[in-house]
Amino acid sequence: METALVVGGGGREHAIVRALAPDCTVYVCASNRNPGVAQLAAGVETLSETDPTAVADYAETVGADVAVIGPESALAAGVADTLEDRGVFAFGPSAENARLETDKAFQRQFMRENDILGCPAFETFADADSAADYVESTEGDVAVKPTGLTGGKGVRVTGDQVTAEEAADYIRTSDWDDWVIEDRLVGEEFTVQAFVANGEVRPTPAVQDHKRAYEGDEGPNTGGMGSYTDGSLTLPFLTREEYDDAVAILEATVDALDGYTGVLYGQFMLTSVGIFVIEFNARFGDPEAMNTLPALETPLADVIRTARDGDSLPDLKFATLATVCKYAVPAGYPTAPEGGVRIEVDEESVGEALLYYASVENRPDGLYTTTSRSFAVVGRGDTIAAAEAEAEDGLTAMGDGLRARHDVGSEALVERRVNHASDLRAAGSE
Ligand code: AMP
Ligand code: GLY
Protein backbone atom coordinates (compact mmCIF):
# COMPACT_ATOMS: atom_id res chain seq x y z
CA MET A 1 0.00 0.00 0.00
CA GLU A 2 1.66 3.19 -1.11
CA THR A 3 -1.01 5.77 -1.59
CA ALA A 4 -4.01 6.34 0.66
CA LEU A 5 -6.93 8.69 0.23
CA VAL A 6 -8.57 10.10 3.36
CA VAL A 7 -12.12 11.38 2.93
CA GLY A 8 -13.15 14.23 5.25
CA GLY A 9 -11.71 17.46 6.59
CA GLY A 10 -12.29 17.58 10.37
CA GLY A 11 -10.19 17.00 13.48
CA ARG A 12 -10.80 13.27 13.18
CA GLU A 13 -9.42 13.21 9.64
CA HIS A 14 -6.44 15.36 10.69
CA ALA A 15 -5.67 12.60 13.23
CA ILE A 16 -6.09 9.86 10.59
CA VAL A 17 -3.79 11.68 8.17
CA ARG A 18 -1.16 12.20 10.87
CA ALA A 19 -1.28 8.47 11.74
CA LEU A 20 -0.94 7.37 8.09
CA ALA A 21 1.53 9.95 6.80
CA PRO A 22 4.74 8.36 8.11
CA ASP A 23 4.06 5.14 6.20
CA CYS A 24 2.40 6.16 2.94
CA THR A 25 1.61 9.02 0.65
CA VAL A 26 -1.69 10.54 1.74
CA TYR A 27 -4.16 12.54 -0.32
CA VAL A 28 -7.27 14.11 1.15
CA CYS A 29 -10.61 15.16 -0.28
CA ALA A 30 -13.24 17.03 1.69
CA SER A 31 -15.83 19.78 1.45
CA ASN A 32 -13.52 22.10 3.39
CA ARG A 33 -9.79 22.73 3.23
CA ASN A 34 -8.32 21.80 6.62
CA PRO A 35 -5.05 23.75 7.11
CA GLY A 36 -3.54 21.04 9.35
CA VAL A 37 -4.23 18.32 6.81
CA ALA A 38 -2.84 20.51 4.02
CA GLN A 39 0.54 20.61 5.82
CA LEU A 40 0.79 16.79 5.86
CA ALA A 41 -0.92 15.59 2.68
CA ALA A 42 0.63 15.25 -0.77
CA GLY A 43 -2.52 16.85 -2.16
CA VAL A 44 -5.88 18.17 -0.98
CA GLU A 45 -8.94 18.41 -3.19
CA THR A 46 -12.03 20.37 -2.27
CA LEU A 47 -15.10 18.43 -3.38
CA SER A 48 -18.37 17.23 -1.94
CA GLU A 49 -17.52 14.28 0.29
CA THR A 50 -21.07 12.98 -0.27
CA ASP A 51 -20.52 12.74 -4.03
CA PRO A 52 -19.26 9.15 -4.53
CA THR A 53 -18.30 9.68 -8.17
CA ALA A 54 -16.24 12.79 -7.42
CA VAL A 55 -14.43 10.97 -4.58
CA ALA A 56 -13.75 7.90 -6.74
CA ASP A 57 -12.54 10.07 -9.64
CA TYR A 58 -10.08 11.79 -7.31
CA ALA A 59 -8.92 8.42 -5.89
CA GLU A 60 -8.17 7.29 -9.44
CA THR A 61 -6.42 10.54 -10.34
CA VAL A 62 -4.00 10.26 -7.41
CA GLY A 63 -3.57 6.47 -7.79
CA ALA A 64 -4.87 5.63 -4.31
CA ASP A 65 -5.09 1.90 -3.61
CA VAL A 66 -6.95 2.38 -0.32
CA ALA A 67 -9.31 4.97 1.11
CA VAL A 68 -10.16 5.71 4.73
CA ILE A 69 -13.55 7.32 5.12
CA GLY A 70 -14.01 9.66 8.09
CA PRO A 71 -17.51 11.17 8.10
CA GLU A 72 -20.82 9.34 8.38
CA SER A 73 -22.34 11.52 5.67
CA ALA A 74 -19.92 10.00 3.12
CA LEU A 75 -20.75 6.47 4.28
CA ALA A 76 -24.48 7.19 4.04
CA ALA A 77 -23.97 8.48 0.49
CA GLY A 78 -22.37 5.18 -0.57
CA VAL A 79 -18.80 6.45 -1.01
CA ALA A 80 -17.36 3.12 0.19
CA ASP A 81 -19.55 1.19 -2.28
CA THR A 82 -18.51 3.30 -5.26
CA LEU A 83 -14.82 3.17 -4.35
CA GLU A 84 -15.01 -0.63 -4.10
CA ASP A 85 -16.81 -0.82 -7.47
CA ARG A 86 -13.97 1.20 -8.93
CA GLY A 87 -11.27 -1.07 -7.47
CA VAL A 88 -10.19 1.06 -4.50
CA PHE A 89 -10.25 -0.71 -1.13
CA ALA A 90 -12.46 1.27 1.24
CA PHE A 91 -11.79 1.18 4.96
CA GLY A 92 -15.33 2.12 5.87
CA PRO A 93 -18.56 0.13 5.59
CA SER A 94 -21.01 -0.07 2.73
CA ALA A 95 -24.05 2.21 2.93
CA GLU A 96 -26.05 -0.89 3.92
CA ASN A 97 -23.79 -1.73 6.88
CA ALA A 98 -23.50 1.96 7.82
CA ARG A 99 -27.28 1.89 8.50
CA LEU A 100 -26.21 0.77 11.95
CA GLU A 101 -25.43 4.48 12.43
CA THR A 102 -27.49 6.23 9.79
CA ASP A 103 -30.85 4.68 10.67
CA LYS A 104 -31.49 4.47 14.41
CA ALA A 105 -34.70 2.48 13.93
CA PHE A 106 -32.76 -0.12 11.93
CA GLN A 107 -30.06 -0.10 14.64
CA ARG A 108 -32.49 -0.96 17.44
CA GLN A 109 -34.41 -3.53 15.36
CA PHE A 110 -31.10 -5.13 14.38
CA MET A 111 -30.13 -5.43 18.06
CA ARG A 112 -33.52 -6.92 18.94
CA GLU A 113 -33.57 -9.41 16.06
CA ASN A 114 -30.03 -10.58 16.75
CA ASP A 115 -30.34 -10.69 20.54
CA ILE A 116 -27.47 -8.23 20.98
CA LEU A 117 -27.13 -7.42 24.68
CA GLY A 118 -27.66 -3.87 25.95
CA CYS A 119 -30.67 -2.78 23.89
CA PRO A 120 -33.13 -0.58 25.85
CA ALA A 121 -36.89 -1.08 25.36
CA PHE A 122 -37.94 0.97 22.32
CA GLU A 123 -40.74 1.76 19.88
CA THR A 124 -40.40 3.10 16.34
CA PHE A 125 -42.78 5.57 14.66
CA ALA A 126 -43.20 6.61 11.03
CA ASP A 127 -45.05 9.86 11.72
CA ALA A 128 -44.36 12.69 14.14
CA ASP A 129 -47.86 12.90 15.62
CA SER A 130 -47.98 9.31 16.81
CA ALA A 131 -44.44 9.63 18.20
CA ALA A 132 -45.41 12.80 20.10
CA ASP A 133 -48.67 11.26 21.39
CA TYR A 134 -46.70 8.28 22.64
CA VAL A 135 -44.23 10.49 24.54
CA GLU A 136 -47.12 12.32 26.22
CA SER A 137 -48.92 9.16 27.21
CA THR A 138 -46.06 6.90 28.27
CA GLU A 139 -44.91 6.58 31.85
CA GLY A 140 -41.25 6.98 32.74
CA ASP A 141 -38.51 8.99 31.08
CA VAL A 142 -37.58 8.41 27.47
CA ALA A 143 -35.00 9.41 24.87
CA VAL A 144 -36.56 10.70 21.63
CA LYS A 145 -34.45 10.31 18.52
CA PRO A 146 -34.97 11.21 14.88
CA THR A 147 -33.92 8.07 13.01
CA GLY A 148 -31.54 9.89 10.63
CA LEU A 149 -28.22 11.70 11.00
CA THR A 150 -28.26 14.85 13.13
CA GLY A 151 -24.58 15.39 13.95
CA GLY A 152 -25.18 14.17 17.52
CA LYS A 153 -27.62 17.01 18.19
CA GLY A 154 -31.03 15.42 17.51
CA VAL A 155 -31.72 13.51 20.74
CA ARG A 156 -33.82 14.88 23.60
CA VAL A 157 -34.06 13.08 26.95
CA THR A 158 -37.03 13.62 29.24
CA GLY A 159 -36.41 14.02 32.95
CA ASP A 160 -32.97 15.33 32.01
CA GLN A 161 -32.94 18.04 29.34
CA VAL A 162 -36.67 18.45 28.70
CA THR A 163 -40.14 17.63 30.03
CA ALA A 164 -42.38 15.15 28.20
CA GLU A 165 -44.46 18.10 26.87
CA GLU A 166 -41.34 19.81 25.54
CA ALA A 167 -40.16 16.57 23.91
CA ALA A 168 -43.57 16.11 22.26
CA ASP A 169 -43.50 19.70 21.06
CA TYR A 170 -39.98 19.21 19.70
CA ILE A 171 -41.18 16.17 17.73
CA ARG A 172 -44.27 17.92 16.33
CA THR A 173 -42.35 21.01 15.21
CA SER A 174 -39.34 19.23 13.70
CA ASP A 175 -38.95 18.24 10.05
CA TRP A 176 -38.54 14.54 10.85
CA ASP A 177 -41.23 11.89 10.32
CA ASP A 178 -39.40 8.81 11.62
CA TRP A 179 -38.61 8.48 15.31
CA VAL A 180 -37.27 6.04 17.86
CA ILE A 181 -38.58 6.48 21.39
CA GLU A 182 -36.71 4.42 23.95
CA ASP A 183 -36.28 4.08 27.69
CA ARG A 184 -34.04 6.67 29.24
CA LEU A 185 -30.77 5.11 30.38
CA VAL A 186 -29.26 6.58 33.53
CA GLY A 187 -25.56 6.15 34.10
CA GLU A 188 -22.09 7.05 32.92
CA GLU A 189 -21.26 7.19 29.20
CA PHE A 190 -18.17 5.84 27.49
CA THR A 191 -16.99 4.96 23.99
CA VAL A 192 -15.21 1.87 22.68
CA GLN A 193 -14.05 1.87 19.07
CA ALA A 194 -12.74 -1.20 17.23
CA PHE A 195 -11.01 -1.83 13.93
CA VAL A 196 -13.04 -4.41 12.04
CA ALA A 197 -12.20 -6.39 8.89
CA ASN A 198 -12.34 -9.96 7.63
CA GLY A 199 -14.61 -10.91 10.55
CA GLU A 200 -12.02 -9.78 13.10
CA VAL A 201 -12.46 -7.14 15.79
CA ARG A 202 -9.52 -5.24 17.34
CA PRO A 203 -10.79 -3.06 20.17
CA THR A 204 -9.05 0.16 21.25
CA PRO A 205 -8.97 1.85 24.68
CA ALA A 206 -12.19 3.22 26.17
CA VAL A 207 -12.69 6.99 25.83
CA GLN A 208 -15.07 9.36 27.59
CA ASP A 209 -16.48 12.13 25.39
CA HIS A 210 -18.35 15.20 26.71
CA LYS A 211 -21.42 15.94 24.64
CA ARG A 212 -22.85 18.85 26.59
CA ALA A 213 -21.87 22.35 25.50
CA TYR A 214 -20.94 23.81 28.89
CA GLU A 215 -18.88 22.98 31.93
CA GLY A 216 -20.51 20.73 34.51
CA ASP A 217 -22.37 18.89 31.68
CA GLU A 218 -24.85 21.73 31.21
CA GLY A 219 -26.47 22.97 28.04
CA PRO A 220 -27.42 21.39 24.73
CA ASN A 221 -25.71 18.39 23.12
CA THR A 222 -22.86 19.09 20.71
CA GLY A 223 -20.77 16.97 18.36
CA GLY A 224 -18.45 16.48 21.39
CA MET A 225 -16.50 19.12 23.35
CA GLY A 226 -13.59 16.98 24.49
CA SER A 227 -12.57 13.54 25.69
CA TYR A 228 -10.01 11.61 27.68
CA THR A 229 -8.33 8.20 27.97
CA ASP A 230 -6.32 6.74 30.82
CA GLY A 231 -3.29 5.01 29.31
CA SER A 232 -4.96 1.60 29.61
CA LEU A 233 -7.96 -0.09 28.04
CA THR A 234 -10.26 1.14 30.80
CA LEU A 235 -11.14 4.45 32.45
CA PRO A 236 -10.94 5.44 36.15
CA PHE A 237 -14.66 4.74 36.54
CA LEU A 238 -14.77 1.60 34.37
CA THR A 239 -13.66 -1.90 35.39
CA ARG A 240 -11.96 -4.32 33.03
CA GLU A 241 -15.03 -6.57 33.22
CA GLU A 242 -17.30 -3.71 32.14
CA TYR A 243 -14.94 -2.84 29.27
CA ASP A 244 -14.97 -6.51 28.21
CA ASP A 245 -18.79 -6.51 28.25
CA ALA A 246 -18.74 -3.57 25.83
CA VAL A 247 -16.24 -5.33 23.56
CA ALA A 248 -18.40 -8.47 23.60
CA ILE A 249 -21.32 -6.36 22.32
CA LEU A 250 -19.17 -5.04 19.46
CA GLU A 251 -18.08 -8.59 18.62
CA ALA A 252 -21.63 -9.92 18.63
CA THR A 253 -22.66 -7.02 16.39
CA VAL A 254 -19.92 -7.73 13.85
CA ASP A 255 -20.86 -11.43 13.88
CA ALA A 256 -24.45 -10.55 13.06
CA LEU A 257 -23.49 -8.20 10.21
CA ASP A 258 -22.46 -9.28 6.75
CA GLY A 259 -18.80 -8.42 6.08
CA TYR A 260 -18.42 -5.19 8.02
CA THR A 261 -15.20 -3.29 7.25
CA GLY A 262 -13.98 -0.13 8.98
CA VAL A 263 -14.23 1.22 12.50
CA LEU A 264 -17.20 0.19 14.64
CA TYR A 265 -17.85 2.72 17.39
CA GLY A 266 -19.99 1.83 20.38
CA GLN A 267 -21.38 4.54 22.64
CA PHE A 268 -22.23 2.79 25.89
CA MET A 269 -23.96 3.62 29.16
CA LEU A 270 -22.73 2.02 32.36
CA THR A 271 -25.96 1.64 34.36
CA SER A 272 -26.85 0.07 37.70
CA VAL A 273 -27.88 -3.06 35.80
CA GLY A 274 -24.99 -3.35 33.36
CA ILE A 275 -23.79 -2.01 30.03
CA PHE A 276 -26.30 -0.62 27.49
CA VAL A 277 -25.80 0.64 23.95
CA ILE A 278 -26.68 4.30 23.37
CA GLU A 279 -25.75 4.08 19.72
CA PHE A 280 -23.37 2.62 17.19
CA ASN A 281 -21.36 4.71 14.77
CA ALA A 282 -19.84 3.32 11.60
CA ARG A 283 -16.59 5.31 11.84
CA PHE A 284 -14.09 6.82 14.22
CA GLY A 285 -15.50 9.23 16.78
CA ASP A 286 -14.68 12.89 16.65
CA PRO A 287 -13.07 13.79 19.13
CA GLU A 288 -12.31 10.19 20.17
CA ALA A 289 -10.00 9.53 17.17
CA MET A 290 -7.70 12.25 18.50
CA ASN A 291 -7.27 10.32 21.77
CA THR A 292 -6.91 6.91 20.17
CA LEU A 293 -4.63 7.43 17.18
CA PRO A 294 -1.77 9.33 18.89
CA ALA A 295 -1.43 6.44 21.38
CA LEU A 296 -1.58 3.71 18.71
CA GLU A 297 1.96 2.33 18.28
CA THR A 298 0.99 -0.21 15.62
CA PRO A 299 1.18 1.63 12.30
CA LEU A 300 -2.35 2.49 11.15
CA ALA A 301 -1.16 1.67 7.63
CA ASP A 302 -0.53 -1.96 8.74
CA VAL A 303 -4.11 -2.25 9.99
CA ILE A 304 -5.50 -0.94 6.70
CA ARG A 305 -3.15 -3.04 4.56
CA THR A 306 -4.01 -6.32 6.32
CA ALA A 307 -7.70 -5.43 6.11
CA ARG A 308 -7.34 -4.95 2.36
CA ASP A 309 -5.34 -8.12 1.82
CA GLY A 310 -7.79 -10.33 3.74
CA ASP A 311 -5.07 -11.12 6.30
CA SER A 312 -5.37 -11.33 10.05
CA LEU A 313 -5.36 -7.83 11.56
CA PRO A 314 -2.26 -7.04 13.66
CA ASP A 315 -2.49 -7.19 17.44
CA LEU A 316 -2.70 -3.56 18.45
CA LYS A 317 -0.09 -1.94 20.68
CA PHE A 318 -0.91 1.26 22.54
CA ALA A 319 1.46 3.52 24.43
CA THR A 320 0.59 3.72 28.14
CA LEU A 321 -0.29 7.37 27.69
CA ALA A 322 -3.28 9.16 29.12
CA THR A 323 -4.72 11.71 26.69
CA VAL A 324 -7.01 14.71 27.11
CA CYS A 325 -8.60 16.35 24.08
CA LYS A 326 -10.30 19.76 24.28
CA TYR A 327 -12.16 21.41 21.43
CA ALA A 328 -12.17 25.15 20.78
CA VAL A 329 -15.56 26.09 19.32
CA PRO A 330 -17.11 29.32 18.01
CA ALA A 331 -19.03 31.50 20.45
CA GLY A 332 -22.68 30.42 20.54
CA TYR A 333 -21.93 26.83 19.41
CA PRO A 334 -24.02 24.69 18.98
CA THR A 335 -27.34 26.60 19.02
CA ALA A 336 -26.28 29.97 17.53
CA PRO A 337 -22.67 29.53 16.38
CA GLU A 338 -20.92 32.65 15.14
CA GLY A 339 -19.45 31.60 11.80
CA GLY A 340 -17.32 33.90 9.67
CA VAL A 341 -15.42 35.36 12.62
CA ARG A 342 -11.70 35.93 12.09
CA ILE A 343 -9.69 33.89 14.62
CA GLU A 344 -6.05 33.58 15.56
CA VAL A 345 -4.60 30.13 16.25
CA ASP A 346 -1.09 30.61 17.57
CA GLU A 347 0.58 27.32 16.59
CA GLU A 348 3.73 28.22 18.55
CA SER A 349 1.92 28.49 21.88
CA VAL A 350 0.42 24.98 21.62
CA GLY A 351 3.64 23.75 23.24
CA GLU A 352 3.87 19.99 23.70
CA ALA A 353 0.17 19.47 22.99
CA LEU A 354 -0.93 18.17 19.60
CA LEU A 355 -2.99 20.56 17.50
CA TYR A 356 -5.78 19.26 15.26
CA TYR A 357 -7.60 21.64 12.98
CA ALA A 358 -11.28 20.96 12.37
CA SER A 359 -13.84 23.16 10.67
CA VAL A 360 -12.13 26.46 9.93
CA GLU A 361 -12.21 28.43 6.74
CA ASN A 362 -8.83 29.37 5.38
CA ARG A 363 -9.14 32.74 3.61
CA PRO A 364 -6.22 34.70 2.13
CA ASP A 365 -6.17 37.02 5.16
CA GLY A 366 -6.38 34.28 7.80
CA LEU A 367 -8.60 31.73 9.51
CA TYR A 368 -12.32 32.17 10.06
CA THR A 369 -14.83 30.20 12.12
CA THR A 370 -17.56 28.13 10.50
CA THR A 371 -20.63 26.98 12.42
CA SER A 372 -18.82 23.81 13.64
CA ARG A 373 -15.94 23.04 16.00
CA SER A 374 -12.74 24.95 15.10
CA PHE A 375 -9.72 23.08 16.43
CA ALA A 376 -8.70 20.68 19.17
CA VAL A 377 -5.64 20.27 21.34
CA VAL A 378 -4.55 16.94 22.79
CA GLY A 379 -2.35 16.68 25.85
CA ARG A 380 -0.54 13.46 26.69
CA GLY A 381 0.97 12.28 29.96
CA ASP A 382 1.52 9.48 32.43
CA THR A 383 -1.69 10.47 34.20
CA ILE A 384 -4.93 12.13 33.13
CA ALA A 385 -3.93 15.11 35.31
CA ALA A 386 -0.63 15.53 33.43
CA ALA A 387 -2.38 15.19 30.06
CA GLU A 388 -5.01 17.70 31.16
CA ALA A 389 -2.36 20.24 32.16
CA GLU A 390 -0.71 19.85 28.74
CA ALA A 391 -4.05 20.29 26.96
CA GLU A 392 -4.72 23.47 28.98
CA ASP A 393 -1.27 24.78 27.98
CA GLY A 394 -2.23 24.04 24.40
CA LEU A 395 -5.45 26.01 24.72
CA THR A 396 -3.43 29.22 25.18
CA ALA A 397 -3.30 29.06 21.37
CA MET A 398 -7.00 29.95 21.38
CA GLY A 399 -7.62 33.62 20.61
CA ASP A 400 -10.81 35.69 20.90
CA GLY A 401 -14.11 34.44 19.51
CA LEU A 402 -13.62 30.84 20.65
CA ARG A 403 -14.38 28.95 23.84
CA ALA A 404 -13.64 25.50 25.31
CA ARG A 405 -14.78 23.30 28.18
CA HIS A 406 -11.94 23.63 30.63
CA ASP A 407 -13.36 20.92 32.91
CA VAL A 408 -12.74 18.01 30.49
CA GLY A 409 -10.19 15.67 32.12
CA SER A 410 -9.95 17.78 35.29
CA GLU A 411 -9.40 15.97 38.56
CA ALA A 412 -12.74 17.13 39.97
CA LEU A 413 -14.67 15.93 36.94
CA VAL A 414 -12.96 12.52 36.83
CA GLU A 415 -13.59 12.08 40.57
CA ARG A 416 -17.28 12.83 40.03
CA ARG A 417 -17.40 10.11 37.36
CA VAL A 418 -15.74 7.60 39.69
CA ASN A 419 -18.18 8.39 42.50
CA HIS A 420 -21.14 8.22 40.13
CA ALA A 421 -20.08 4.78 38.85
CA SER A 422 -19.64 3.47 42.43
CA ASP A 423 -23.11 4.75 43.30
CA LEU A 424 -24.52 2.97 40.24
CA ARG A 425 -22.85 -0.31 41.15
CA ALA A 426 -24.03 0.01 44.75
CA ALA A 427 -27.61 0.65 43.57
CA GLY A 428 -27.39 -2.40 41.29
CA SER A 429 -26.34 -4.72 44.09
CA GLU A 430 -29.12 -3.63 46.49
P1 AMP B 1 -26.80 9.98 20.01
O1 AMP B 1 -27.07 11.04 18.99
O2 AMP B 1 -27.55 8.73 19.83
O3 AMP B 1 -25.32 9.84 20.28
O4 AMP B 1 -27.30 10.58 21.39
C1 AMP B 1 -26.78 11.78 21.87
C2 AMP B 1 -26.80 11.75 23.37
O5 AMP B 1 -28.13 11.57 23.84
C3 AMP B 1 -26.01 10.60 23.99
O6 AMP B 1 -24.65 10.87 24.10
C4 AMP B 1 -26.69 10.49 25.33
O7 AMP B 1 -26.18 11.46 26.22
C5 AMP B 1 -28.11 10.82 25.05
N1 AMP B 1 -28.91 9.59 24.87
C6 AMP B 1 -29.14 8.90 23.74
N2 AMP B 1 -29.93 7.83 23.99
C7 AMP B 1 -30.19 7.85 25.31
C8 AMP B 1 -30.95 7.02 26.19
N3 AMP B 1 -31.62 5.95 25.77
N4 AMP B 1 -30.99 7.37 27.51
C9 AMP B 1 -30.35 8.45 27.98
N5 AMP B 1 -29.61 9.27 27.20
C10 AMP B 1 -29.55 8.99 25.88
N1 GLY C 1 -18.02 11.79 19.58
C1 GLY C 1 -19.26 11.50 19.03
C2 GLY C 1 -19.26 11.19 17.59
O1 GLY C 1 -18.24 11.11 16.95
O2 GLY C 1 -20.33 10.98 17.06
Side-chain angles (χ1 to χ4, degrees), residues 104-408:
K104 288 186 200 290
F106 169 81
Q107 178 193 108
R108 288 312 191 199
Q109 272 147 1
F110 169 89
M111 289 188 77
R112 185 184 275 165
E113 277 161 24
N114 292 285
D115 292 324
I116 310 282
L117 292 178
C119 185
F122 71 92
E123 300 280 342
T124 60
F125 298 89
D127 74 281
D129 281 335
S130 7
D133 292 347
Y134 177 80
V135 171
E136 282 172 333
S137 63
T138 194
E139 274 184 31
D141 289 326
V142 290
V144 312
K145 308 181 165 191
T147 57
L149 294 176
T150 63
K153 300 169 198 116
V155 176
R156 297 291 180 278
V157 181
T158 70
D160 182 21
Q161 304 158 305
V162 292
T163 63
E165 290 68 36
E166 285 165 343
D169 209 41
Y170 165 65
I171 294 172
R172 287 200 182 94
T173 54
S174 83
D175 292 333
W176 294 94
D177 293 324
D178 295 301
W179 294 83
V180 176
I181 315 284
E182 63 188 34
D183 282 359
R184 176 189 176 192
L185 301 165
V186 177
E188 207 41 61
E189 289 184 38
F190 64 97
T191 302
V192 181
Q193 306 160 102
F195 293 101
V196 180
N198 312 320
E200 288 186 321
V201 177
R202 292 281 186 272
T204 69
V207 190
Q208 188 172 47
D209 184 17
H210 297 73
K211 290 262 188 199
R212 296 297 194 89
Y214 307 120
E215 279 161 25
D217 295 319
E218 301 288 336
N221 276 339
T222 67
M225 293 296 295
S227 46
Y228 66 90
T229 59
D230 193 18
S232 70
L233 290 175
T234 64
L235 291 163
F237 66 82
L238 189 72
T239 66
R240 178 59 198 250
E241 210 181 359
E242 290 158 351
Y243 172 82
D244 288 344
D245 287 347
V247 169
I249 289 173
L250 294 179
E251 287 170 343
T253 302
V254 170
D255 279 349
L257 287 163
D258 187 18
Y260 188 95
T261 301
V263 171
L264 180 60
Y265 165 123
Q267 177 85 29
F268 298 98
M269 188 80 92
L270 169 66
T271 76
S272 61
V273 289
I275 304 292
F276 281 78
V277 175
I278 295 173
E279 66 164 349
F280 291 115
N281 290 332
R283 48 157 178 100
F284 269 122
D286 187 345
E288 288 94 331
M290 291 178 282
N291 301 93
T292 307
L293 291 173
L296 178 64
E297 289 181 337
T298 310
L300 178 60
D302 285 357
V303 178
I304 311 291
R305 186 184 307 113
T306 48
R308 179 195 64 182
D309 294 346
D311 293 338
S312 188
L313 297 180
D315 287 329
L316 302 183
K317 268 198 77 188
F318 287 92
T320 47
L321 271 183
T323 63
V324 173
C325 175
K326 301 198 190 206
Y327 250 122
V329 302
Y333 175 82
T335 39
E338 287 180 32
V341 174
R342 171 88 197 270
I343 51 167
E344 298 290 339
V345 182
D346 178 6
E347 291 194 9
E348 295 300 310
S349 67
V350 169
E352 293 297 306
L354 300 168
L355 171 66
Y356 294 96
Y357 282 99
S359 192
V360 284
E361 201 187 324
N362 204 355
R363 298 189 196 161
D365 63 333
L367 292 181
Y368 285 77
T369 58
T370 69
T371 54
S372 295
R373 298 170 291 182
S374 304
F375 72 89
V377 291
V378 174
R380 294 161 293 174
D382 290 339
T383 60
I384 294 174
E388 200 271 336
E390 194 172 283
E392 276 299 315
D393 275 352
L395 275 185
T396 55
M398 178 173 76
D400 292 342
L402 295 171
R403 68 171 184 87
R405 262 188 71 168
H406 292 286
D407 63 343
V408 173

Side-chain angles (χ1 to χ4, degrees), residues 58-108:
Y58 185 60
E60 261 171 28
T61 305
V62 299
D65 40 12
V66 304
V68 183
I69 302 166
E72 60 275 25
S73 55
L75 296 169
V79 167
D81 306 76
T82 301
L83 285 167
E84 289 278 335
D85 286 348
R86 304 261 298 257
V88 180
F89 172 74
F91 195 71
S94 63
E96 177 59 28
N97 275 340
R99 286 179 72 205
L100 209 54
E101 167 167 9
T102 59
D103 180 346
K104 288 186 200 290
F106 169 81
Q107 178 193 108
R108 288 312 191 199

